[in-house]
């Protein structure tokens, strides 16, 4: 029983396309996050949702739009993909809003050609 | 802005020896310090965390120490094994579970265990 699951695991697409990544957690956590990990392995938070409410919205191009239909799901939609968007995107969840004891999904490797 | 510096960026140790990774934080109000391990191609996983009211915490072969005065904390791995090879991330936050304070991440340390 995977605690935080995200799909797809790999995403290869052309520049200019629109794509979505889905995430679901079955831990009963209140908060979900999207992180981006670049080629140098640096982890950068993008968004955070608590009970469907956006609480962290870092400086991210507005081509990235998160959506949380309920507290167990957080999806990421990316419009007009660019080469620089290539990275690994991790979904995560935690019980509270303080990013304590984060549980990460297995990641989505996005490659923009 | 607040930052966390992590050293070294790469650490190579002989199997069976100890490894130490150090992090320095800038925000003196930080009170929560987790360490995550990320094996190659896998997700980051929490291995140990410590709060500012505790100076040291151990869990089997891993331990974390905190020096609030100097604003640094360290991860210690004893009797290293091949499965300890991974990238280790430190982080610091002001927040308790119900806050929305940011978690500030270090840049990671690649630990290589030589057989």
């Amino acid at each position: 029983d995977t605690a935080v699951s995200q799909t797809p695991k790999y995403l290869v697409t052309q520049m200019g396309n629109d794509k979505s990544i889905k995430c679901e957690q079955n831990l009963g956590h209140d908060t979900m996050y999207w992180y981006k990990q670049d080629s140098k392995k640096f982890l950068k938070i993008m968004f955070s949702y608590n009970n469907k409410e956006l609480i962290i919205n870092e400086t991210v191009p507005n081509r990235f739009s998160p959506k949380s239909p309920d507290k167990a799901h957080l999806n990421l939609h990316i419009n007009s993909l660019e080469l620089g968007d290539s990275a690994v995107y991790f979904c995560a969840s935690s019980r509270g809003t303080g990013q304590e004891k984060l549980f990460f999904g297995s990641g989505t490797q996005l490659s923009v050609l | 802005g607040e930052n966390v510096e992590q050293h070294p960026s790469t650490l190579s140790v002989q199997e069976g020896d100890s490894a130490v990774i150090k992090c320095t934080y800038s925000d003196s109000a930080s009170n929560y310090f987790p360490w995550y391990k990320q094996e190659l191609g896998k997700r980051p996983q929490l291995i140990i965390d410590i709060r500012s009211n505790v100076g040291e915490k151990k869990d089997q072969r891993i331990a974390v120490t905190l020096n609030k005065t100097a604003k640094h904390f360290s991860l210690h791995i004893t009797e290293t094994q091949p499965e300890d090879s991974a990238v280790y991330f430190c982080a610091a936050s002001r927040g308790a579970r119900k806050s929305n304070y940011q978690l500030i991440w270090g840049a990671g340390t690649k630990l290589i265990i030589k057989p």
Side-chain angles (χ1 to χ4, degrees), chain A residues 2-5 9 35 37 40-45 55-56 58 90 95-107, chain B residues 31-32 34 36 38 40-46 49 51 57 87 89 93 95-103 105-107:
Chain A
T2 306
V4 181
S5 58
K9 189 165 176 61
Y35 272 87
Q37 187 171 45
K40 294 184 179 178
K41 302 298 183 187
F42 193 75
L43 281 163
K44 181 174 168 51
I45 191 166
I55 56 171
I56 293 176
E58 286 297 291
F90 285 101
R95 190 176 300 278
T97 58
Q99 297 186 62
E100 292 194 359
K101 301 190 190 298
L102 292 168
F103 283 78
F104 283 87
S106 56
Chain B
N31 60 16
Y32 174 68
Y36 285 81
Q38 186 178 25
L40 187 63
K42 302 283 179 69
R43 73 193 78 195
Q45 289 188 292
L46 179 70
D49 55 5
R51 297 191 187 280
K57 184 176 178 181
V87 177
F89 293 95
S93 166
R97 237 171 55 178
K98 290 194 182 296
S99 80
N100 60 356
Y101 286 122
Q102 282 276 27
L103 187 64
W105 293 81

Side-chain angles (χ1 to χ4, degrees), chain B:
Chain B
E2 306 303 344
N3 75 307
V4 171
E5 293 188 2
Q6 184 171 347
H7 298 282
S9 56
T10 305
L11 177 61
S12 184
V13 301
Q14 206 67 41
E15 183 178 348
D17 287 351
S18 295
V20 181
I21 303 169
K22 298 180 181 178
C23 288
T24 304
Y25 58 97
S26 60
D27 182 1
S28 56
S30 295
N31 60 16
Y32 174 68
F33 308 92
W35 285 89
Y36 285 81
K37 174 184 180 183
Q38 186 178 25
E39 295 177 26
L40 187 63
K42 302 283 179 69
R43 73 193 78 195
Q45 289 188 292
L46 179 70
I47 54 171
I48 196 168
D49 55 5
I50 193 170
R51 297 191 187 280
S52 58
N53 59 348
V54 175
E56 183 175 1
K57 184 176 178 181
K58 285 183 181 178
D59 183 3
Q60 300 182 335
R61 295 187 298 107
I62 61 172
V64 57
T65 57
L66 171 65
N67 183 327
K68 284 188 293 184
T69 304
K71 292 193 287 186
H72 66 69
F73 56 111
S74 300
L75 178 71
H76 304 254
I77 307 174
T78 58
E79 300 171 12
T80 52
Q81 299 169 5
E83 54 265 35
D84 295 329
S85 293
V87 177
Y88 291 81
F89 293 95
C90 65
S93 166
R94 290 187 182 188
R97 237 171 55 178
K98 290 194 182 296
S99 80
N100 60 356
Y101 286 122
Q102 282 276 27
L103 187 64
I104 310 298
W105 293 81
T109 295
K110 183 175 182 180
L111 177 62
I112 301 166
I113 308 300
K114 296 180 289 186

